[in-house]
């Protein structure tokens, strides 16, 4: 690109950001298809393959058969325990969410992101907000941005919903998300029963203490990037949830999990779902099960779509390590706190690894 064209691109980029009040990555990619604006370019070790950054492409996260867990398979329960202890991430198959439900959810999410910008802007994410279309976790003008557009919505309980932010186009978006969310919620309840059993707790221990659990969904769209080696699709972070369930398309392995100081790519398995331990379970188990940093990288050739469900205790629930995990002289690593307070802390903080969990540490 010559200097004149670069100047036009820069001017258009500024116009997009100013008019849209969000850095719409799809528009940036359309207008400036050969360059990456400075705010997206990461520094040194923060780049996907920066100096000192190790990526293990051949390593695989565990795969758990939920059907076998439902049948009472002790071997599968041991696999689940090891996956939670050693990885904090695993994929699930035979999970009970119908393929057609998943495919329809992916279809309407993709259709939404393909809409003209002016249509998507009818559902704006407010600055510093977490619901609507835009870019979450941005709190300063000099903050590096992720190569990603988001649509985030509260689902349950009903009082967290913002109906004006639920798209009316595609026409079946709300109906599809409702159906999908019911099935994912059922899966979360089953998974938490098995996770409790793997810890030798009563299967209903977690579900019984979560109250009217909070469920939210975030759809992430990562368009192709002309310089993917310079950007991140989503900054490294852990989740504030109890468990997170992610559906990803099979375009490429964009999700990476930090393990033993190296990034492991999560290879997509068709119709599988990716599950990870959130900060809440780390606190409740006093660190036996740990939430794990993860990030998303971009591709120079492919776009990528993910649908992420966060499942967490009710906001009025008091949390802290369970007595079973501070017995026999085991030190208590986390204080008791109100989950609503932690949620407010999480959503008003930048994504910076596991820094938000310092809120709960003693």
């Amino acid at each position: 690109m010559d200097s004149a064209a670069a100047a036009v691109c820069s001017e258009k980029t500024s116009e997009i950001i100013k008019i849209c009040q969000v850095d719409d990555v799809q528009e940036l990619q359309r207008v400036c298809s050969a360059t990456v604006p400075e705010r997206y370019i990461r520094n040194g070790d923060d780049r996907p393959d920066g100096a000192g950054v190790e990526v293990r492409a051949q390593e695989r996260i565990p795969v758990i058969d939920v059907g076998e867990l439902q049948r009472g398979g002790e071997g599968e329960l041991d696999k689940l325990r090891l996956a939670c202890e050693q990885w904090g991430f695993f994929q699930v198959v035979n999970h009970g969410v119908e393929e057609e439900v998943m495919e329809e959810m992916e279809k309407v999410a993709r259709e939404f992101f393909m809409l003209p910008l002016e249509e998507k802007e009818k559902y704006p994410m407010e600055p510093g907000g977490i619901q609507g279309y835009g870019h979450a976790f941005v709190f300063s003008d000099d903050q590096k941005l992720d190569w990603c557009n988001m649509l985030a919505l509260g689902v349950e309980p009903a009082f967290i919903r913002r109906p004006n932010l639920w798209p009316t186009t595609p026409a079946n978006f709300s109906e599809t998300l409702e159906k999908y969310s019911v099935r994912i919620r059922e899966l979360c309840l089953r998974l938490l029963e098995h996770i409790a059993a793997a810890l030798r707790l009563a299967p209903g221990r977690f579900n019984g203490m979560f109250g009217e659990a909070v469920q939210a969904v975030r759809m992430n769209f990562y368009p192709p990037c002309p310089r993917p080696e310079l950007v991140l699709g989503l900054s490294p972070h852990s989740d504030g949830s109890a468990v997170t369930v992610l559906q990803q398309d099979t375009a490429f392995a964009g999700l990476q999990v930090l393990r033993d100081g190296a990034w492991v790519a999560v290879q997509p398995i068709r119709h599988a779902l990716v599950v990870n331990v959130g900060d809440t379970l780390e606190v409740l188990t006093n660190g036996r099960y740990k939430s794990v940093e993860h990030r998303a990288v971009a591709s120079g050739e492919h776009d990528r779509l993910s649908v992420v469900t966060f499942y967490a205790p009710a906001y009025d629930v008091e949390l802290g390590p369970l007595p079973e995990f501070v017995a026999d002289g085991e030190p208590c690593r986390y204080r008791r706190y109100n989950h609503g307070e932690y949620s407010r802390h999480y959503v008003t903080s930048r994504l910076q690894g596991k820094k938000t969990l310092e809120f709960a540490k003693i």
Side-chain angles (χ1 to χ4, degrees):
M1 178 180 288
D2 62 30
S3 58
V8 170
C9 181
S10 176
E11 181 179 339
K12 288 185 177 180
T13 297
S14 299
E15 182 180 348
I16 290 168
I17 294 173
K18 181 179 179 181
I19 292 174
C20 301
Q21 298 179 333
V22 294
D23 302 333
D24 192 281
V25 181
Q26 289 167 265
E27 292 300 298
L28 293 174
Q29 191 256 349
R30 180 181 64 82
V31 174
C32 306
S33 59
T35 62
V36 176
E38 183 65 28
R39 284 199 71 186
Y40 293 86
I41 297 176
R42 300 284 173 150
N43 300 318
D45 292 350
D46 201 23
R47 294 177 181 178
D49 54 358
V53 177
E54 181 184 358
V55 177
R56 299 175 188 161
Q58 303 306 315
E59 204 165 349
R60 298 290 186 268
I61 71 170
V63 178
I64 304 297
D65 187 331
V66 180
E68 185 62 23
L69 288 174
Q70 293 291 97
R71 289 188 288 272
E74 287 296 324
E76 207 67 19
L77 194 65
D78 285 340
K79 283 176 60 178
L80 176 63
R81 175 179 55 80
L82 289 173
C84 292
E85 286 182 352
Q86 299 176 1
W87 285 86
F89 261 83
F90 50 94
Q91 298 202 63
V92 291
V93 295
N94 297 324
H95 43 65
V97 182
E98 297 86 351
E99 292 179 5
E100 56 268 27
V101 172
M102 296 174 62
E103 289 170 356
E104 187 62 23
M105 186 67 246
E106 181 178 328
K107 179 175 180 287
V108 298
R110 183 172 288 277
E111 287 177 0
F112 172 80
F113 283 110
M114 294 301 108
L115 292 172
L117 180 60
E118 56 269 22
E119 180 66 27
K120 292 182 288 188
E121 284 191 309
K122 293 178 181 178
Y123 316 99
M125 183 181 294
E126 298 171 357
I130 56 166
Q131 291 201 51
Y133 174 75
H135 213 136
F137 305 105
V138 178
F139 301 103
S140 68
D141 291 335
D142 59 355
Q143 181 179 333
K144 292 297 183 181
L145 299 175
D146 294 330
W147 193 260
C148 175
N149 285 336
M150 299 177 176
L151 174 65
L153 301 169
V155 178
E156 296 291 347
F159 73 83
I160 74 168
R161 293 193 180 197
R162 298 276 301 279
N164 60 307
L165 297 178
W166 284 53
T168 56
T169 306
N172 62 335
F173 182 95
S174 293
E175 177 187 354
T176 301
L177 179 56
E178 293 272 16
K179 185 175 182 180
Y180 178 82
S181 296
V182 167
R183 304 299 283 136
I184 295 295
R185 192 177 187 88
E186 293 169 349
L187 174 61
C188 289
L189 289 167
R190 291 197 302 272
L191 287 172
L192 284 167
E193 288 183 348
H194 296 306
I195 289 170
L199 289 162
R200 295 181 173 83
L201 301 172
R205 185 66 178 278
F206 294 131
N207 289 327
M209 65 183 295
F210 280 8
E212 193 174 9
V214 173
Q215 183 175 348
V217 65
R218 190 179 72 220
M219 287 149 260
N220 304 314
F221 185 78
Y222 308 91
C225 179
R227 298 292 305 277
E229 75 280 4
L230 300 180
V231 308
L232 284 176
L234 196 61
S235 300
H237 64 285
S238 64
D239 293 338
S241 57
V243 290
T244 300
V245 178
L246 176 143
Q247 175 180 335
Q248 59 178 340
D249 63 24
T250 57
F252 74 103
L255 174 63
Q256 297 182 345
V257 177
L258 187 64
R259 186 170 192 246
D260 298 330
W263 292 101
V264 177
V266 178
Q267 301 296 332
I269 299 174
R270 185 167 175 77
H271 295 130
L273 293 164
V274 181
V275 179
N276 63 278
V277 170
D279 294 345
T280 296
L281 278 188
E282 176 166 338
V283 171
L284 290 171
T285 64
N286 200 33
R288 182 174 299 186
Y289 290 176
K290 289 183 170 59
S291 60
V292 174
E293 283 186 53
H294 49 287
R295 68 180 187 178
V297 297
S299 167
E301 300 175 358
H302 306 285
D303 63 39
R304 176 173 172 264
L305 173 73
S306 65
V307 181
V308 190
T309 299
F310 304 96
Y311 188 86
Y315 292 132
D316 60 355
V317 170
E318 295 289 321
L319 296 174
L322 296 177
E324 292 89 338
F325 302 108
V326 291
D328 302 322
E330 187 72 20
C332 185
R333 297 179 175 86
Y334 308 91
R335 65 181 179 87
R336 291 194 64 80
Y337 60 89
N338 173 271
H339 181 63
E341 291 179 15
Y342 181 64
S343 295
R344 283 190 292 274
H345 170 73
Y346 188 94
V347 302
T348 56
S349 302
R350 291 173 55 183
L351 297 180
Q352 290 181 285
K354 294 188 66 171
K355 189 172 181 180
T356 50
L357 193 55
E358 292 175 8
F359 171 93
K361 289 183 177 179
I362 293 176

